Each structure stands twice: as C-alpha cells, then as structure tokens.
Amino acid sequence: MAELSLQHIDKIYDNNVQAVFDFNMDVKDGELIVLVGPSGCGKSTTLRMVAGLEDISAGSLLLDGRDITRTPAKDRDMAMVFQNYALYGHMTVYENMAFSMTLRKEKPNVIHKRVLAAAEILGLESQLNKKPAQLSGGQRQRVAMGRAIVRTPKVFLFDEPLSNLDAKLRGATRREILLLHKRLQATMLYVTHDQTEALTLADRIVCMSMGHVQQIGTPLELYDTPANLFVAGFIGLPPMNFFDVTFEDGKLKGKGFEVALSDEEKYTLSDYNRKQIRLGVRPEDIAEGDSIAVKVFSNENLGMNTLVHGHMGDGLRVSAKLRGWTSYRAGDVMKVDFHKKHFFDLETTNAIRKGV
C-alpha cells in the first residue's frame, strides 16, 4: 500500500481564518489513523487537504516519499468515502461500484472481477442489481466502500462515514470497516467526532482541537496517559471528573475533601508543593471504599455496571462507574476511594509527569 507524511501543514482560508496549524504526522504502510475531535476542530479539513479537495496553504504532503502537495486530486491514487454515500441514484449497485473504473476505460473483465471481489468482501453479492433507493443506510455505506475498494487505491480516506446511521447499524458497520482494514492491510485515514469509533478502530488516534493537534498515540495512550486537560476530558465515556486541589502535606486538599497519595504520586507532584493543580479521575477509577463521602442524587443501572452520580465535599459533582448492580437512592451516602489519578498544571493545562 503506502506511507503518508504530513509535514508542517497549515490551512488558511482567503478571509485569513486559519483552520489547521502546523500538522505533523507520518502514517505507516497499512496503518489505520483516526482523526478525532469536536466539530470545527480541523479534522475534516485536514482529510480534504490529503485528498486534494482543499489546497494546502503551507507545508508538504508526501506519498511514498513523493511530494504530492500540488498534485490534483485525481492523480493522488486515493479513494474517499463520504458520510452522505454520494451514490448515483439512477445506477445499480454494480454500476456505482464500477463507475470510476469505467471512466478510466478499464477492460470489462477487469471491472467485473474487481466488483465481484469487493461485493464478496462486503456481503453485497445479492444486491448488485438493485438501485440505492432499495437499500438500507448500512448497505448504501457498504456500496460506497465497495466503490473505493475496486479502485485499489494507495490510501483510503473516510470522512465521518457512519454519522448518518442509527446506533445499531453504526456498530455493525464499524466492525465491517475494521475487518475490511485487516483483510486489505490498507493505509487508511478516518475522520470522526465519535470517540467510540476512534478507540475501537484506530491503530493510532490524532486528537484535535481548534486546528491544533493535541496528542497522537495509540487508543490506550490517549485513554491512560492523556497529554492535557482537553484530551483527558474528550476521551473517555462517561467523561473524566475534574477537581481543583492543592498539594499540601503529602495530600491533595480540595473544597471539603482530602485525597491521600502514594509515594510515587507525591514524587510526581514534588515541584507543586502548596500549589493548586487540577485532579482528574475517571468514573471507572472510583470504587466503593472508605476515603471520601459522596451524597448520591441519581443511580443508573447499566447491567454489568452502575453509574452513580453525587456530590462530595462542598457540593462538587462526581460520577462513579461501579462494577455490578447497585441500589443507591437519592440521599444515600456512599464512601469511595480514588484509584488511578491524573494531575494537570492549571496554567499550561498539560499533564504533570516527572520528566515531561
């Protein structure tokens, strides 16, 4: 397949609004990279620059070492799958999937072979003579993927391909994309605002905010060691709990509560003595214990887990994801311990780690 390199890429529109700032990333051959972030963060703009649908204002784009920064989209050997499918309603599934090859005047037997192979991969063999209007949303998206597959491009580009599907179809199609990637061993860039898609699909995730890359890493790295407050708050569901605390006398002291620290945690915070920091704790890292009292105001039983919401200290809201089925009611007091803790500098918003 292909290696892709984005080097110091900027996007500045004619009205001097900058959408992407100094984007740097090397994509390995066969890697599935997911760009994730809230609406307007620059992820789709970055994908469109890679595709050649948007001009690159500054920087370089290399494909297998060849500079394609100014190469027209049609000559980049990339295939894009859009969120709105972009199928031709008057054509059959077969004709839609074959369209790009037909335009290139490929031999009919080559076209037929590739379409049938793609249809088999995607489970579309029985749908080839139907029109898009006769298909479900999930089937239409598979046709759009099939149209990309038959081109055998060097790079596959996905722009929020599941956003128009309902939750059940989204999950099923997500699994199909993952299987497709494993089967084709293809280089893929995938854009989404859905962190579940990012965490389940990606070899590596690029988390973006306001045009800036916040962190690049494996799903586990972004979940377990977020680089800053934005990544910590964006990745993870339910979201991380945050509290402003002061490191003092070997403890974290907040509004109406204290948190004991291990020797390793004290060492991590040794440069912040008597300074205020932000403590982050994921709901799943809070367990029933004996350290902190939480006054419950709601309880959501989710089957294997229970999401308990309450207040601690001086009215600070906290959410805990407990194992099993619990029966806390509004007004009950629950005692908890904080397990894995994350520390952030209030001025820089970066994670506090020794040597970082």
Side-chain angles (χ1 to χ4, degrees), residues 2-7 60-78 154:
E3 293 182 353
L4 197 64
S5 181
L6 291 81
Q7 301 178 356
S60 300
L61 178 66
L62 306 181
L63 180 62
D64 287 336
R66 181 172 65 92
D67 191 329
I68 60 167
T69 309
R70 306 299 170 205
T71 302
K74 65 182 178 63
D75 299 324
R76 292 194 179 192
D77 201 7
M78 300 180 185
K154 285 192 172 183

Side-chain angles (χ1 to χ4, degrees), residues 193-204:
H193 64 274
D194 186 328
Q195 57 166 291
T196 301
E197 288 177 36
L199 291 169
T200 54
L201 287 173
D203 293 319
R204 285 189 296 155

Side-chain angles (χ1 to χ4, degrees), residues 35 132 168 175 212 231 236-237 243-244 342:
L35 280 65
K168 185 177 180 181
R175 289 189 291 273
H212 295 271
V231 178
L237 197 67
F243 313 101
D244 287 347
H342 304 265

Side-chain angles (χ1 to χ4, degrees), residues 180-342:
L180 177 67
H181 176 248
K182 289 181 177 178
R183 183 162 180 173
L184 298 179
Q185 291 294 297
T187 305
M188 295 181 174
L189 264 62
Y190 186 107
V191 161
T192 182
H193 64 274
D194 186 328
Q195 57 166 291
T196 301
E197 288 177 36
L199 291 169
T200 54
L201 287 173
D203 293 319
R204 285 189 296 155
I205 295 173
V206 182
C207 188
M208 297 184 69
S209 174
M210 299 180 69
H212 295 271
V213 173
Q214 301 297 312
Q215 186 173 359
I216 300 176
T218 66
L220 181 60
E221 285 170 344
L222 269 71
Y223 174 84
D224 212 35
T225 54
N228 54 40
L229 277 169
F230 176 82
V231 178
F234 189 82
I235 299 294
L237 197 67
M240 187 180 286
N241 298 286
F242 293 110
F243 313 101
D244 287 347
V245 295
T246 301
F247 178 51
E248 191 175 347
D249 300 327
K251 297 179 180 179
L252 293 178
K253 299 183 178 182
K255 293 182 178 179
F257 72 97
E258 290 185 350
V259 179
L261 298 174
S262 67
D263 289 342
E264 183 180 353
E265 290 166 339
K266 292 174 188 176
Y267 174 72
T268 299
L269 294 175
S270 56
D271 295 334
Y272 286 82
N273 193 40
R274 298 186 183 278
K275 293 182 180 178
Q276 194 175 58
I277 64 167
R278 187 155 292 166
L279 166 67
V281 186
R282 295 200 181 279
E284 50 269 37
D285 289 325
I286 299 176
E288 291 172 293
D290 55 17
S291 301
I292 301 168
V294 175
K295 188 173 182 179
V296 175
F297 65 76
S298 73
N299 188 61
E300 298 178 59
N301 287 304
L302 305 174
M304 292 181 66
N305 301 290
T306 303
L307 195 58
V308 182
H309 306 284
H311 292 105
M312 67 181 207
D314 295 344
L316 299 171
R317 182 164 176 164
V318 60
S319 297
K321 190 175 183 179
L322 307 179
R323 290 185 178 181
W325 190 281
T326 66
S327 55
Y328 288 107
R329 296 182 179 181
D332 287 349
V333 175
M334 172 180 69
K335 285 290 195 75
V336 300
D337 294 330
F338 290 171
H339 289 199
K340 184 175 177 63
K341 309 173 193 74
H342 304 265

